[in-house]
Each structure stands twice: as C-alpha cells, then as structure tokens.
Amino acid sequence: AAFRRPRQIPVDEFLGGVVEAAGERPVRVCVLEGIVDHTNVGAIFRSAAALNVDGILVSPTCCDPLYRRSARVSMGTVFQVPWAYLPEGWTELLHTLGFRTAAMALRDDSVRLDDPRLAAERKLAVVMGTEGDGLADATIAACDYTVRIPMHHGVDSLNVAAASAVAFYQLGKPAE
C-alpha cells in the first residue's frame, strides 16, 4: 500500500493534546530511544495500545514506526496509538512540559518498578532504550528516576518489548 504520511505535530502540541484527552487521570507516555529493531517497535506499540498508554515519542535515533514490519507486528496499532517524533534535547522539553521521566535501566541505584512514587506521578514518561546497550548515560542522568524490573532466577534483563509491556501494566495502575 502507498499513503501519505500524516503531518508531524510538534511535540509540545502533541503532548498538550494527550494531556487534554486524559482529563483527570494520570498521563503515561513512552519514549523510544535508539530502538533499531522494527519488530520491537511494533510490539511496543501493540502493548501500548493494549495497556492504554496515552502516546509514544520516538527519538531521532529510533527506527520508523511506519516501516512495514513495525506496522505488521503492531497489528496495526501504529495507526491507533498517537505518536510523534522527538527533537534533540527532548529530556529538557519533557520537563518543561511538566513530565517526570523514568529511565528503564539496570543500575544499582534504580528504584523498583513497583515504587509507589512512580504510580503517583500525574504525568510520567517511561524511557526505553535500544537493544543491548540500553539508554545512553546522558539520558539516564537527565531523567528523574532510574527504574528496574525486579528479576528472579538469575535473569538480568528482558527484551525491550517485553519490558515495555511489564512497565506499561505496572505504571498504568492508579496510585493507591
């Protein structure tokens, strides 16, 4: 199929619409930094749709969500979940717009994904990094939280698509 790409909405306008649509409920968005596997991008979009993520923000180093493999794996949800491209320096922009940021990273100083502070945030951006290397050190340093999924049986990490589903499920719960 051939189609024209929709006009790219500036991130501040995009997030303003996402916040407005959320009303009084918490806003959850996901940032994809440098994810280069189209299958993972599609799976993240599918999880975002299923688990009610408000929008996805794609970094300049991430692969194209409209690539045919991404669209296919997403089961078409790349056309359903609102998304926009991020400019360089996006962490500062998110903070300016009132979002707190949660870098998903395997660090000793990480808080657990079930930390109640995360669920209590009104506007939260979950930041997911590239396969293998994860997030850039500068990105982690610029985020408000560094977050890890607790693991068992000697497993140290999950695939980025699987980790996104776990994070979306956990962080989509209302604060208790």
Side-chain angles (χ1 to χ4, degrees):
F3 63 94
R4 292 193 192 279
R5 284 181 176 268
R7 176 183 77 85
Q8 285 298 305
I9 300 170
V11 174
D12 54 348
E13 183 182 327
F14 172 80
L15 288 174
V18 165
V19 170
E20 184 177 316
E24 295 300 311
R25 70 176 175 77
V27 177
R28 299 295 183 253
V29 297
C30 180
V31 173
L32 305 182
E33 181 185 79
I35 298 177
V36 296
D37 185 297
H38 293 94
T39 301
N40 283 335
V41 169
I44 291 168
F45 268 84
R46 188 172 176 181
S47 294
L51 299 168
N52 205 26
V53 170
D54 297 295
I56 294 181
L57 300 167
V58 179
S59 77
T61 57
C62 186
C63 66
D64 184 2
L66 295 181
Y67 184 79
R68 66 178 183 243
R69 182 73 177 148
S70 297
R72 184 174 172 194
V73 170
S74 80
M75 300 287 293
T77 59
V78 295
F79 306 109
Q80 180 182 13
V81 176
W83 64 276
Y85 282 110
L86 287 166
E88 296 293 335
W90 55 265
T91 52
E92 185 178 322
L93 175 63
L94 289 175
H95 288 131
T96 300
L97 296 171
F99 278 82
R100 303 281 284 178
T101 50
M104 299 297 295
L106 301 171
R107 297 268 176 121
D108 291 336
D109 61 345
S110 298
V111 299
R112 290 171 50 106
L113 182 62
D114 58 358
D115 188 304
R117 294 174 293 176
L118 296 169
E121 292 291 352
R122 165 81 175 100
K123 296 192 289 187
L124 184 67
V126 179
V127 185
M128 309 296 293
T130 188
E131 303 84 349
D133 293 337
L135 292 169
D137 289 336
T139 299
I140 296 169
C143 286
D144 300 298
Y145 300 98
T146 305
V147 181
R148 83 171 32 227
I149 298 169
M151 300 284 166
H152 301 281
H153 301 291
V155 175
D156 68 344
S157 66
L158 296 174
N159 165 278
V160 67
S164 72
V166 172
F168 298 161
Y169 178 79
Q170 179 67 37
L171 297 174
K173 295 178 180 180
E176 309 232 351

